Amino acid sequence: MVSSNNKDSFWRRLLYKYRLSVMNEDTFTEIWHTRLSRMGVFVLLSLLFVVTLAIYSLLIFYTPIRNVLPGYSESIRQRLIDESQRVDSLGTVLELQTQYLSVIRDVVSGEVKSDTIQSLDSMQIVMREQLLEAKNAATVDFMAQYEEKERDYLQLFDVQQTQPVITFFLPAHGVIVSHYSAEAKQFGVEIQTPLNENITAVLAGSIIHVNYELNNTFSVFVQHQTYLSIYRNVGKVLKHVGESVQAGESIALSSDKYPLYFELWQNGMSINPEEVIVF
């Protein structure tokens, strides 16, 4: 019986309503009031907690706040990396297109005259070729006497030249500021050229690769019949990959910040350009 009275008393206290009033302190007039029980306060606080929890859950799962939760940051990081690589590639393509349009504009406006240097190089090469192939009378007479005297000895070493004479064009007009040195891992020569100097193909071939470098310049790779020529620190590229070029044809313009770095390769081995080209 005592237990039943205690239960009734507990529920009675739980459901008993109290008056909550808001009064004016100066006039002691009641402004607002309400009646609340302990059970009502508990239910109201529970409902407020549930609503608050629901609002926070919606904010976390449907707003960028979810990125701070474990598991979401990895996917965001991967997306950022992918987008960064995409922006870099688009930037490179845009830079190449901008350089190409700039070169076309300069050629159309007459600021770049590539044919002038090309024709001058052609005249120089013809003269050089004539000097290399020409033999004066004294040389012919000396060789005839020497062959007659040493005929038997020379027969042991009589090897006919089967390789044709290859005449290289000058890649660019300028001054060599750094020479070839295989020991120092420098497989080319650096040529200090004037601004917007025409860079020409040393032999006939095809453009096989154009690379954009970190120093805001370009590298052009030209494949010839038996040689590979590389032109680094190029300011503007005049040709596209896959285009065929003739010997002495302009393929690029020099940079205004860096000297031209020219390399020459044959069968995977570097060649000192100064041994085959008269700079």
Side-chain angles (χ1 to χ4, degrees):
M1 189 67 179
V2 176
S3 176
S4 177
N5 291 334
N6 290 337
K7 290 182 179 180
D8 293 340
S9 177
F10 171 76
W11 285 107
R12 190 178 300 110
R13 290 195 304 271
L14 194 62
L15 297 176
Y16 185 79
K17 293 186 177 182
Y18 296 88
R19 183 184 179 92
L20 177 63
S21 299
V22 177
M23 303 181 65
N24 191 328
E25 185 177 1
D26 296 330
T27 61
F28 296 101
T29 57
E30 187 177 45
I31 300 175
W32 175 84
H33 74 273
T34 184
R35 296 177 61 85
L36 296 173
S37 63
R38 296 179 180 179
M39 177 64 74
V41 173
F42 176 76
V43 172
L44 181 61
L45 292 177
S46 300
L47 181 62
L48 181 62
F49 174 77
V50 171
V51 171
T52 303
L53 182 62
I55 292 175
Y56 274 106
S57 299
L58 293 175
L59 289 176
I60 290 175
F61 290 105
Y62 293 98
T63 62
I65 299 178
R66 68 178 182 273
N67 296 329
V68 301
L69 297 178
Y72 283 96
S73 59
E74 294 297 330
S75 60
I76 295 299
R77 186 179 295 107
Q78 185 61 40
R79 287 181 57 188
L80 289 176
I81 293 174
D82 296 340
E83 293 298 329
S84 177
Q85 293 176 350
R86 182 180 179 185
V87 170
D88 290 341
S89 61
L90 291 176
T92 302
V93 173
L94 181 60
E95 179 67 22
L96 290 173
Q97 293 293 335
T98 303
Q99 293 286 348
Y100 178 74
L101 292 176
S102 176
V103 171
I104 294 299
R105 183 174 61 253
D106 293 342
V107 172
V108 172
S109 61
E111 296 180 5
V112 177
K113 299 180 180 180
S114 58
D115 292 339
T116 303
I117 295 180
Q118 179 180 351
S119 60
L120 181 60
D121 283 346
S122 300
M123 295 175 60
Q124 292 179 351
I125 292 303
V126 171
M127 295 175 61
R128 188 186 309 147
E129 195 170 4
Q130 291 176 354
L131 291 175
L132 291 175
E133 295 180 353
K135 296 183 178 179
N136 54 34
T139 303
V140 174
D141 184 57
F142 173 79
M143 291 300 298
Q145 294 179 7
Y146 186 82
E147 290 179 1
E148 184 66 25
K149 183 178 179 181
E150 304 290 339
R151 181 180 301 276
D152 296 335
Y153 178 76
L154 290 176
Q155 286 178 353
L156 299 176
F157 303 94
D158 187 13
V159 179
Q160 296 182 353
Q161 183 179 0
T162 58
Q163 295 293 334
V165 177
I166 299 178
T167 304
F168 290 85
F169 273 72
L170 194 66
H173 289 283
V175 179
I176 296 179
V177 295
S178 181
H179 298 275
Y180 173 91
S181 177
E183 294 78 7
K185 303 298 183 182
Q186 178 168 330
F187 302 108
V189 294
E190 286 187 343
I191 306 173
Q192 187 65 52
T193 62
L195 178 62
N196 288 332
E197 175 70 17
N198 282 271
I199 298 174
T200 58
V202 295
L203 293 172
S206 300
I207 307 294
I208 61 173
H209 183 63
V210 175
N211 188 39
Y212 180 74
E213 304 294 345
L214 296 178
N215 60 356
N216 199 27
T217 61
F218 297 88
S219 295
V220 182
F221 294 70
V222 182
Q223 179 65 58
H224 312 289
Q225 187 173 5
T226 57
Y227 293 91
L228 172 67
S229 59
I230 304 176
Y231 312 78
R232 303 185 187 275
N233 296 337
V234 171
K236 294 182 180 180
V237 181
L238 304 179
K239 299 293 182 180
H240 290 292
V241 175
E243 285 192 58
S244 298
V245 294
Q246 299 298 323
E249 183 176 357
S250 297
I251 60 175
L253 298 179
S254 62
S255 172
D256 58 346
K257 296 181 180 179
Y258 303 96
L260 171 66
Y261 189 83
F262 174 72
E263 300 177 25
L264 191 63
W265 297 75
Q266 184 181 32
N267 298 327
M269 301 294 293
S270 63
I271 300 176
N272 186 357
E274 296 183 70
E275 294 181 355
V276 295
I277 303 175
V278 179
F279 288 91

